[in-house]
Short mmCIF file of all heavy atoms in Angstrom, two decimals:
data_model
loop_
_atom_site.label_atom_id
_atom_site.label_comp_id
_atom_site.label_asym_id
_atom_site.label_seq_id
_atom_site.Cartn_x
_atom_site.Cartn_y
_atom_site.Cartn_z
N ILE A 275 -17.16 -3.88 -4.69
CA ILE A 275 -17.55 -5.15 -5.30
C ILE A 275 -16.69 -5.43 -6.52
O ILE A 275 -16.28 -4.50 -7.22
CB ILE A 275 -19.06 -5.13 -5.69
CG1 ILE A 275 -19.56 -6.52 -6.07
CG2 ILE A 275 -19.33 -4.11 -6.78
CD1 ILE A 275 -21.08 -6.57 -6.23
N TYR A 276 -16.40 -6.72 -6.75
CA TYR A 276 -15.67 -7.12 -7.95
C TYR A 276 -16.05 -8.55 -8.29
O TYR A 276 -16.14 -9.40 -7.42
CB TYR A 276 -14.15 -7.01 -7.74
CG TYR A 276 -13.36 -7.18 -9.02
CD1 TYR A 276 -13.11 -6.08 -9.84
CD2 TYR A 276 -12.91 -8.43 -9.43
CE1 TYR A 276 -12.42 -6.23 -11.03
CE2 TYR A 276 -12.21 -8.58 -10.62
CZ TYR A 276 -11.97 -7.48 -11.42
OH TYR A 276 -11.29 -7.62 -12.61
N ASN A 277 -16.26 -8.78 -9.58
CA ASN A 277 -16.60 -10.12 -10.07
C ASN A 277 -17.80 -10.70 -9.32
O ASN A 277 -17.86 -11.90 -9.04
CB ASN A 277 -15.39 -11.06 -9.94
CG ASN A 277 -15.54 -12.31 -10.79
OD1 ASN A 277 -16.24 -12.31 -11.80
ND2 ASN A 277 -14.89 -13.38 -10.37
N GLY A 278 -18.76 -9.83 -9.01
CA GLY A 278 -19.98 -10.26 -8.34
C GLY A 278 -19.84 -10.52 -6.86
O GLY A 278 -20.81 -10.91 -6.20
N ILE A 279 -18.66 -10.30 -6.29
CA ILE A 279 -18.42 -10.55 -4.87
C ILE A 279 -18.22 -9.22 -4.17
O ILE A 279 -17.37 -8.41 -4.56
CB ILE A 279 -17.19 -11.44 -4.67
CG1 ILE A 279 -17.42 -12.81 -5.31
CG2 ILE A 279 -16.87 -11.60 -3.18
CD1 ILE A 279 -16.22 -13.72 -5.26
N ARG A 280 -19.03 -8.97 -3.14
CA ARG A 280 -18.90 -7.72 -2.41
C ARG A 280 -17.98 -7.91 -1.21
O ARG A 280 -18.25 -8.73 -0.34
CB ARG A 280 -20.28 -7.22 -1.93
CG ARG A 280 -20.18 -5.90 -1.14
CD ARG A 280 -21.49 -5.19 -0.99
NE ARG A 280 -21.98 -4.66 -2.25
CZ ARG A 280 -21.53 -3.59 -2.87
NH1 ARG A 280 -20.50 -2.91 -2.34
NH2 ARG A 280 -22.05 -3.18 -3.99
N LEU A 281 -16.90 -7.14 -1.19
CA LEU A 281 -15.97 -7.14 -0.07
C LEU A 281 -16.35 -6.10 0.97
O LEU A 281 -16.23 -6.34 2.17
CB LEU A 281 -14.55 -6.86 -0.57
CG LEU A 281 -13.52 -7.96 -0.34
CD1 LEU A 281 -13.86 -9.15 -1.23
CD2 LEU A 281 -12.13 -7.45 -0.65
N LEU A 282 -16.76 -4.93 0.50
CA LEU A 282 -17.05 -3.81 1.37
C LEU A 282 -18.34 -3.13 0.93
O LEU A 282 -18.69 -3.11 -0.25
CB LEU A 282 -15.91 -2.78 1.31
CG LEU A 282 -14.53 -3.20 1.79
CD1 LEU A 282 -13.50 -2.16 1.37
CD2 LEU A 282 -14.50 -3.42 3.29
N SER A 283 -19.02 -2.54 1.89
CA SER A 283 -20.16 -1.68 1.57
C SER A 283 -19.66 -0.43 0.86
O SER A 283 -18.57 0.06 1.14
CB SER A 283 -20.88 -1.28 2.86
OG SER A 283 -21.71 -0.15 2.66
N PRO A 284 -20.47 0.13 -0.06
CA PRO A 284 -20.07 1.40 -0.68
C PRO A 284 -19.92 2.52 0.35
O PRO A 284 -19.16 3.46 0.14
CB PRO A 284 -21.19 1.69 -1.68
CG PRO A 284 -22.34 0.83 -1.27
CD PRO A 284 -21.74 -0.38 -0.62
N VAL A 285 -20.63 2.39 1.47
CA VAL A 285 -20.48 3.38 2.55
C VAL A 285 -19.06 3.31 3.11
O VAL A 285 -18.40 4.33 3.33
CB VAL A 285 -21.52 3.12 3.66
CG1 VAL A 285 -21.25 4.02 4.87
CG2 VAL A 285 -22.92 3.33 3.14
N THR A 286 -18.58 2.10 3.33
CA THR A 286 -17.23 1.92 3.86
C THR A 286 -16.19 2.44 2.89
O THR A 286 -15.23 3.11 3.29
CB THR A 286 -16.98 0.43 4.16
OG1 THR A 286 -17.95 -0.02 5.11
CG2 THR A 286 -15.59 0.20 4.72
N VAL A 287 -16.37 2.14 1.60
CA VAL A 287 -15.44 2.64 0.59
C VAL A 287 -15.40 4.17 0.61
O VAL A 287 -14.33 4.78 0.56
CB VAL A 287 -15.83 2.13 -0.82
CG1 VAL A 287 -15.03 2.86 -1.90
CG2 VAL A 287 -15.60 0.62 -0.90
N LYS A 288 -16.56 4.78 0.71
CA LYS A 288 -16.62 6.24 0.74
C LYS A 288 -15.87 6.80 1.94
O LYS A 288 -15.13 7.80 1.83
CB LYS A 288 -18.07 6.70 0.77
CG LYS A 288 -18.24 8.21 0.71
CD LYS A 288 -19.72 8.60 0.65
CE LYS A 288 -19.87 10.11 0.56
NZ LYS A 288 -21.31 10.51 0.47
N GLU A 289 -16.03 6.15 3.11
CA GLU A 289 -15.36 6.64 4.31
C GLU A 289 -13.85 6.40 4.26
O GLU A 289 -13.07 7.22 4.73
CB GLU A 289 -15.97 5.97 5.55
CG GLU A 289 -17.39 6.41 5.84
CD GLU A 289 -17.51 7.92 6.00
OE1 GLU A 289 -16.83 8.49 6.87
OE2 GLU A 289 -18.26 8.54 5.22
N MET A 290 -13.45 5.28 3.67
CA MET A 290 -12.02 4.99 3.59
C MET A 290 -11.28 5.94 2.66
O MET A 290 -10.09 6.18 2.84
CB MET A 290 -11.80 3.55 3.09
CG MET A 290 -12.18 2.47 4.08
SD MET A 290 -11.82 0.80 3.45
CE MET A 290 -10.01 0.78 3.53
N THR A 291 -11.98 6.49 1.68
CA THR A 291 -11.32 7.25 0.61
C THR A 291 -11.62 8.75 0.65
O THR A 291 -11.34 9.45 -0.31
CB THR A 291 -11.73 6.67 -0.75
OG1 THR A 291 -13.15 6.75 -0.90
CG2 THR A 291 -11.29 5.23 -0.89
N ARG A 292 -12.14 9.23 1.77
CA ARG A 292 -12.28 10.67 1.94
C ARG A 292 -11.33 11.15 3.03
O ARG A 292 -10.82 10.36 3.82
CB ARG A 292 -13.72 11.05 2.29
CG ARG A 292 -14.16 10.69 3.70
CD ARG A 292 -15.55 11.24 4.00
NE ARG A 292 -16.01 10.89 5.33
CZ ARG A 292 -15.77 11.59 6.44
NH1 ARG A 292 -15.02 12.69 6.37
NH2 ARG A 292 -16.25 11.21 7.61
N ASN A 293 -11.08 12.44 3.07
CA ASN A 293 -10.18 13.00 4.05
C ASN A 293 -10.78 12.88 5.44
O ASN A 293 -11.78 13.50 5.76
CB ASN A 293 -9.90 14.47 3.73
CG ASN A 293 -8.89 15.09 4.69
OD1 ASN A 293 -8.14 14.40 5.35
ND2 ASN A 293 -8.87 16.42 4.73
N GLN A 294 -10.15 12.06 6.29
CA GLN A 294 -10.64 11.84 7.64
C GLN A 294 -9.96 12.72 8.68
O GLN A 294 -10.31 12.67 9.86
CB GLN A 294 -10.44 10.36 8.02
CG GLN A 294 -11.33 9.39 7.27
CD GLN A 294 -12.77 9.43 7.75
OE1 GLN A 294 -13.07 9.99 8.81
NE2 GLN A 294 -13.67 8.85 6.97
N ILE A 295 -9.00 13.53 8.24
CA ILE A 295 -8.26 14.35 9.21
C ILE A 295 -8.19 15.80 8.74
O ILE A 295 -7.11 16.37 8.60
CB ILE A 295 -6.86 13.78 9.46
CG1 ILE A 295 -6.09 13.53 8.15
CG2 ILE A 295 -6.95 12.48 10.26
CD1 ILE A 295 -4.62 13.15 8.38
N PRO A 296 -9.33 16.45 8.48
CA PRO A 296 -9.30 17.85 8.01
C PRO A 296 -8.61 18.75 9.03
O PRO A 296 -8.78 18.61 10.24
CB PRO A 296 -10.79 18.19 7.88
CG PRO A 296 -11.50 17.22 8.77
CD PRO A 296 -10.71 15.96 8.71
N GLY A 297 -7.79 19.64 8.50
CA GLY A 297 -7.09 20.60 9.35
C GLY A 297 -5.81 20.09 9.96
O GLY A 297 -5.10 20.85 10.63
N VAL A 298 -5.47 18.82 9.71
CA VAL A 298 -4.25 18.25 10.26
C VAL A 298 -3.13 18.33 9.22
O VAL A 298 -3.33 17.94 8.06
CB VAL A 298 -4.46 16.78 10.70
CG1 VAL A 298 -3.14 16.17 11.18
CG2 VAL A 298 -5.53 16.70 11.78
N SER A 299 -1.99 18.83 9.63
CA SER A 299 -0.86 18.99 8.71
C SER A 299 0.13 17.84 8.87
O SER A 299 0.03 17.03 9.80
CB SER A 299 -0.15 20.31 8.97
OG SER A 299 0.42 20.31 10.28
#
Side-chain angles (χ1 to χ4, degrees):
I275 191 171
Y276 190 86
N277 197 26
I279 298 175
R280 179 164 291 284
L281 242 69
L282 297 168
S283 162
V285 173
T286 301
V287 169
K288 184 176 181 179
E289 291 304 302
M290 290 183 71
T291 59
R292 73 174 179 88
N293 183 20
Q294 290 286 346
I295 52 172
V298 176
S299 64

